[in-house]
Amino acid sequence: MTTGTLYGIGVGPGSADLLTVKAVNLLAKVTTVCLIKSGAEKNSVALGIARPYIREDAEILAVAAPMTHDEKILAEAWQTAAKIIVGKLQAGSDVAFITLGDCMLFSTYTYIMKQVKIQFPAVKIENVPGIAAYSYLASYLATALAEGGENLAIIPAVSELAKLPDILQNFPNVILMKVAGKYGDILNILDEKGLRQNTVYVSKLGHPDQFITFDLDSMRKAERHYLSMLWVKQGGFI
Ligand SMILES: C[S@@+](CC[C@H](N)C(=O)[O-])C[C@H]1O[C@@H](n2cnc3c(N)ncnc32)[C@H](O)[C@@H]1O
C-alpha cells in the first residue's frame, strides 16, 4: 500500500489571505488535518485561520500540548502525537499539520516531525513555509527588518533577562517573542538602554483585533495576549 505524506503547513500570522497558494491547494486535498491544542486556548488559532480552506469532510486531529517545561513529559507527548500521525500515514492517509506563522520557526510541529522521522524512517515529508509573524510585521509597518550589513536577532522568549542587554547591544534589530509574561522587566531594560522610543509592541497581527502601539507604558498594566511581540530597532522607525 502507498503510504501517506506528512505536510507541515505554516498558515501565516492570522489573516486568511496570508497563506501561500501551495498551502491552500494542499488543504483542499488532504482529509486529515492535525493541530496542536494547548490548554491555554479554547479554540485552535491555526484552525481558525485555515478553516476556509479545509475540506468539510476532513478529520481534525487535535494533539495535546502539555503546559509544562518538563522535558520527559513533553517527549512523551510528542511521541504519542507522532504515533497517531504515523498510524494515519501508514494506513495511506496524507496528514496536514497546520501551525501558526512559519512551520519551521519555534513550532511544536518540528518536535513532532522529528519523532515521526524516528518512528517511521521512510516517511515522506513536505513542509510548506508560512509567513512568520515578524515578517508580516515588517511589511505592515513598511520598515525593513534588516538592511545592508545589519544583523537580526529573533529571540523566542526572554528566559534569561540578564542576557537581554548584551543582545540589544549587539543586534541593531531584535524581535522579542512571548513577551507577555516578562513585559515590565523587558521595558526596564529597554529604558536602561535608551531604546524605548525605538520599540514597537504588537499583538494578534493579521487578526481582526490586531493591536500595534509605540506607547509601551500603556501596556504595562493592560492584558497582554500570548500572541504578542516587541520589535526593537536601533535605527528607529521612520
Ligand atoms: C511559538 S512562537 C510561534 C512563531 C510562529 N511559528 C511564527 O512563525 O511566527 C509564538 C510567538 O510568536 C509570536 N506570534 C506569533 N503569531 C503572532 C501574531 N499573529 N501576532 C503577534 N505575535 C505573534 C508571539 O510572540 C508568540 O508568543
Side-chain angles (χ1 to χ4, degrees), residues 13 100-102 105-106 132-133 177-178 204-205 226-229:
L100 276 182
D102 180 30
L105 182 78
F106 302 124
M177 291 174 162
K178 295 191 190 160
K204 301 196 78 184
L205 287 166
Y226 166 74
L227 291 179
S228 56
M229 289 188 309

Side-chain angles (χ1 to χ4, degrees), residues 12-14 99-108 130-134 156 176-179 202-207 225-230:
T99 73
L100 276 182
D102 180 30
C103 53
M104 291 291 124
L105 182 78
F106 302 124
S107 170
T108 303
I131 297 172
Y134 70 81
L176 298 171
M177 291 174 162
K178 295 191 190 160
V179 292
V202 300
S203 68
K204 301 196 78 184
L205 287 166
H207 295 254
H225 195 273
Y226 166 74
L227 291 179
S228 56
M229 289 188 309
L230 287 166

Side-chain angles (χ1 to χ4, degrees), residues 54-70:
I54 294 174
R55 293 167 63 104
E56 280 193 7
D57 61 349
E59 176 190 14
I60 308 292
L61 278 179
V63 170
M67 300 284 283
T68 176
H69 292 294
D70 184 319

Side-chain angles (χ1 to χ4, degrees), residues 142-212:
T143 303
L145 261 178
E147 284 176 316
E150 289 177 358
N151 287 332
L152 166 70
I154 301 164
I155 311 297
V158 186
S159 46
E160 291 175 70
L161 281 164
K163 290 189 178 164
L164 187 54
D166 272 354
I167 294 169
L168 294 170
Q169 188 75 35
N170 292 317
F171 292 85
N173 302 289
V174 180
I175 299 285
L176 298 171
M177 291 174 162
K178 295 191 190 160
V179 292
K182 295 200 173 134
Y183 188 81
D185 294 324
I186 295 171
L187 237 59
N188 294 340
I189 294 172
L190 290 176
D191 278 341
E192 282 163 25
K193 289 272 171 198
L195 286 169
R196 177 198 288 247
Q197 304 308 321
N198 297 7
T199 304
V200 63
Y201 170 90
V202 300
S203 68
K204 301 196 78 184
L205 287 166
H207 295 254
D209 49 350
Q210 164 176 303
F211 178 76
I212 300 184

